[in-house]
Amino acid sequence: MNSDSSFLKALNKESLPTPPIWYMRQAGRYMPEYQNVRKKFKNFLDMCKEPDICCELALQPINAFELDAAILFSDILTIPDSFGLGVEFIENEGPVFKNPISNSTDIKNLNHFDPESLDYVYKAVNNIKSSLPDEIPLIGFCGSPWTLAAYSIEGRSSKDFEKTLGFLESNQKDVHDLLTKYTDACFLYLRKQVQSGADVIQIFDSWANLLTKEDLIEFSFNYINSLISALKLDPVTKNIPVIIFARNPKCNIEELINTSADCISLFWSMNDLNFEVAKNKVAIQGNLDPKILLESDETIKRETYKILERFKEYPGYIFNLGHGITPDISPDKIKYLTNIVREY
Ligand code: 1CP
């Protein structure tokens, strides 16, 4: 299955003449086709609970740009929602939690995670997988335990997650308990996604940048490592490649390699890592700054070529952005970018 997929070959650290391409947040508000569906739902999570709609949305960018991988249409906050924290997406505000975590009792009293409560996600995986051509792999995903904990404590998105960092300072043991619960939940959740058809897993540590190097290892990467180790030991998930995306973490490439991920997805500013030490250990994905897509074609080409040049000898390279496509980007620029990478 999927033996012709350039994406799976690159994840297996093979050198390829042309890198496979997919984009973080490739389905979303920048696409008019997405907006047409989105306007029918008030709450974003209600839309995620409709497997047929998720299937339609996941396929939109594949049909529009002929990308080399599809990603499940869902969100990382399905897990905190399943734990009873009451996640709502409010227009122009993003996610808001009805019952955020504010003390150690809240952590002790968290529901037991029931993976069946997210059945709507596995149905979406199954629908998307059945609708995709055989050679296009499907990426399943989850948030890292740390990133899920940060939203759950903060109760919303934030620039600096001040409340979360304050809570962490005075409640380290409780945060460890929360991270353990989220790690176990992520494992069961990803295992179900794989059973339903996901070929690859990506873990989003979108708030890795908040932590000092020491805390990053203790509160984030150790849990990502436990999660990946559990996946690599389970007969269902052991052969599934795992990609780790961490937003601008305060660490060297060695710490990212030590998470045991098969592929490192680079944030757009992560350009001075020592990629030599990563060769033949991990595949690399990334990392055009999405803001470049607001510039002229000439600038886009120049910046894209810099990246393609940097990784042209790298065994196992996947072209992607250094973070998600934002709503202000024109689909024409995505088309242009995809073409110039394929023609390079
Ligand atoms: O109103 C809308 O239309 C909602 C916009 C939207 C979309 C399209 C949200 C709200 N989530 C998603 C889908 C989504 N989210 C996908 C599947 C689509 C695709 O990639 O093609 C994925 C993989 C995610 C993952 C996700 N959700 C992350 C990790 C990636 C990243 O950007 O760092 C994060 C942090 C979230 C949380 C989230 N979901 C949505 C919002 C507004 C937020 C908060 C973002 C923030 O804190 O700034």
Side-chain angles (χ1 to χ4, degrees), residues 23-231:
Y23 301 112
M24 282 192 273
R25 299 290 189 110
Q26 62 193 23
R29 285 174 294 176
Y30 77 103
M31 289 187 96
E33 301 94 304
Y34 172 86
Q35 296 284 14
N36 272 337
V37 178
R38 176 70 179 90
K39 68 182 181 212
K40 297 178 196 155
F41 294 84
K42 191 162 170 281
N43 187 357
F44 171 73
L45 265 191
D46 289 340
M47 187 169 76
C48 294
K49 290 175 184 166
E50 298 287 341
D52 291 338
I53 301 275
C54 293
C55 178
E56 181 184 347
L57 296 175
L59 287 169
Q60 285 176 348
I62 306 298
N63 296 331
F65 314 114
E66 297 177 50
L67 303 171
D68 298 300
I71 182 161
L72 161 67
F73 192 90
S74 190
D75 198 78
I76 63 166
L77 299 178
T78 52
I79 287 188
D81 189 55
S82 157
F83 270 98
L85 303 190
V87 179
E88 258 187 83
F89 286 84
I90 298 185
E91 212 173 328
N92 304 322
E93 268 191 68
V96 176
F97 288 56
K98 263 192 251 149
N99 318 304
I101 285 166
S102 19
N103 51 51
S104 57
T105 317
D106 289 346
I107 295 173
K108 282 194 194 78
N109 289 345
L110 277 183
N111 297 341
H112 174 75
F113 175 70
D114 173 13
E116 301 305 330
S117 64
L118 297 176
D119 205 41
Y120 64 87
V121 177
Y122 321 131
K123 284 193 177 130
V125 170
N126 191 277
N127 285 3
I128 300 165
K129 187 64 192 168
S130 331
S131 308
L132 278 173
D134 253 6
E135 68 281 8
I136 310 279
L138 174 60
I139 304 166
F141 69 88
C142 71
S144 72
W146 161 250
T147 289
L148 298 182
Y151 280 111
S152 306
I153 297 166
E154 199 70 23
R156 57 193 319 116
S157 188
S158 156
K159 270 202 186 70
D160 47 20
F161 281 75
E162 218 175 302
K163 188 172 157 202
T164 303
L165 293 177
F167 187 87
L168 176 61
E169 214 172 270
S170 37
N171 301 277
Q172 300 213 350
K173 163 132 192 346
D174 297 326
V175 173
H176 276 300
D177 290 346
L178 177 60
L179 292 167
T180 303
K181 289 186 188 204
Y182 277 171
T183 303
D184 295 346
C186 286
F187 167 69
L188 296 172
Y189 183 52
L190 292 175
R191 189 174 184 279
K192 280 273 184 188
Q193 290 186 30
V194 170
Q195 275 175 326
S196 309
D199 303 292
V200 171
I201 293 296
Q202 178 148 329
I203 301 170
F204 289 97
D205 198 6
S206 301
W207 293 105
N209 60 317
L210 298 174
L211 298 171
T212 62
K213 181 171 181 176
E214 228 179 36
D215 286 351
L216 178 69
I217 306 296
E218 179 175 346
F219 295 98
S220 186
F221 286 5
N222 279 349
Y223 289 92
I224 292 174
N225 180 260
S226 303
L227 172 57
I228 297 176
S229 304
L231 293 167

